[in-house]
Amino acid sequence: MFFAASDGKTAVEILWDAPPECPSADSVRDYAQRLLGQPLDTPRAQHVSARAKVRRNEAGNWELRLVLTSNQHVAEETLVAKLCSSLADATGLKVALTTDPEAAARAMETAPGVEAPAPGAPAPPIEGERAARPPEPAARGGAQIGVRAEGAVDFRLLPAAAPGAALTVWLQRSRWRAELTGRGFWGGDARFQQPPAVGAHLQLFSGASRVCAVLPARAVSLPLCLGGELGFMRGEGFGAQQNATSHSLWGAVVVGPALELPVADAVSLWLGAEGVFSFLRPGFNVRNLGTLYTAPPVSLRIGAGFEVRFAR
């Protein structure tokens, strides 16, 4: 948003470019005006211009790129915060300090619990360090923990494409994350060709442990995960004179990429795919008819769900 004086003298302008879930340009302007104690279009001896662009970074935090111009002096910096509102307030504060540091300092002195900076000093740091410094984005905000609920489909491990669900808890620091997952697939039917009425309904229940490298990408995260999964297949027979239910141990190595797309401050959409390489392959047999089904060595899963993040 652009603000200009009406009498031809220089004034203050704020260009605020941020997603809809962030505070509006009017909020940034109002905060700067409260600190200055007068409208931004009041005639001034210097021209102050702030160009602010806000986006999500690869760690899921908010990132502000600010270019602040005062007459011929140009300063550029990057700030990171968990809340977009913190970046909006930082922009208003920096505009006020650049325009009239004494007025901004007096305004902050009157605010309870806020220590006024010295005239001409930069704004106090907000959550996170400057992006120009080496630490990784997630490390700047400390470790994060979260939960993910997702629906999934497994192809080939069970007799037919099997729908399922999973619940995951995870811990991430810097670009590494550890995950623990419980999942279940409510299966499909395996049948003999002759007689086709005899078979079993197969299900899979398992727990997984994975380690993920979170690859850098603009506005999204790209975890690449590797881990192990252990559980059991449950077979419930049908169609025979005497039907039984049995359980067999199953295990696999799982590997695959995912896409994490932020949709709110602490919520992300998760889309993932996994290759499943079984090293324990249970088989199910029917007396007098032989082997009904054996788990294949390789299968594929796809899943989608939502994550909620919490900072430690």
Side-chain angles (χ1 to χ4, degrees):
M1 184 171 288
F2 178 77
F3 305 95
S6 58
D7 62 355
K9 294 186 178 180
T10 54
V12 178
E13 61 180 5
I14 300 176
L15 301 173
W16 174 255
D17 182 4
E21 56 264 43
C22 290
S24 66
D26 287 340
S27 312
V28 180
R29 178 201 62 185
D30 292 343
Y31 185 56
Q33 289 182 151
R34 287 199 303 272
L35 292 172
L36 291 171
Q38 54 186 204
L40 294 184
D41 57 5
T42 301
R44 305 177 190 280
Q46 63 175 335
H47 178 214
V48 176
S49 172
R51 287 182 292 142
K53 184 177 181 61
V54 181
R55 67 170 184 90
R56 286 276 195 182
N57 64 17
E58 59 270 20
N61 296 317
W62 291 105
E63 183 176 287
L64 166 69
R65 296 188 181 277
L66 180 64
V67 179
L68 197 59
T69 304
S70 176
N71 290 340
Q72 300 302 316
H73 177 72
V74 179
E76 299 185 25
E77 59 185 317
T78 300
L79 301 175
V80 177
K82 296 183 182 70
L83 299 178
C84 191
S85 57
S86 299
L87 299 180
D89 289 348
T91 302
L93 175 59
K94 284 180 172 292
V95 168
L97 287 170
T98 303
T99 304
D100 190 338
E102 293 184 359
R106 286 195 301 269
M108 295 187 69
E109 285 174 351
T110 62
V114 178
E115 181 180 352
I126 58 174
E127 302 156 341
E129 298 288 335
R130 301 280 174 90
R133 297 180 183 177
E136 299 293 343
R140 288 194 295 260
Q144 291 184 322
I145 59 175
V147 296
R148 179 173 73 251
E150 62 183 304
V153 178
D154 190 291
F155 300 92
R156 294 195 70 245
L157 186 58
L158 294 168
L167 183 65
T168 299
V169 295
W170 53 264
L171 170 68
Q172 180 173 336
R173 185 170 184 85
S174 185
R175 297 198 188 280
W176 293 95
R177 122 182 342 205
E179 297 189 342
L180 292 175
T181 301
R183 68 173 82 245
F185 293 93
W186 42 92
D189 293 340
R191 299 174 182 269
F192 286 103
Q193 290 186 348
Q194 291 295 331
V198 178
H201 182 72
L202 302 179
Q203 298 173 303
L204 175 67
F205 301 95
S206 64
S209 174
R210 305 195 307 173
V211 174
C212 305
V214 183
L215 306 180
R218 186 175 181 84
V220 300
S221 294
L222 298 172
L224 179 61
C225 302
L226 172 67
E229 191 167 338
L230 192 64
F232 65 89
M233 279 191 179
R234 178 181 183 272
E236 182 178 355
F238 59 81
Q241 289 184 345
Q242 293 183 339
N243 297 308
T245 298
S246 63
H247 301 79
S248 293
L249 189 64
W250 170 85
V253 173
V254 292
V255 59
L259 171 66
E260 186 183 2
L261 178 64
V263 296
D265 273 358
V267 180
S268 298
L269 173 66
W270 174 279
L271 302 172
E274 282 184 324
V276 182
F277 303 90
S278 300
F279 56 82
L280 293 177
R281 300 168 53 201
F284 294 86
N285 304 292
V286 177
R287 185 180 301 174
N288 300 325
L289 293 176
T291 300
L292 171 66
Y293 185 78
T294 300
V298 179
S299 64
L300 172 68
R301 292 178 188 156
I302 59 173
F306 288 94
E307 284 195 344
V308 179
R309 298 183 304 277
F310 309 94
R312 289 185 63 187

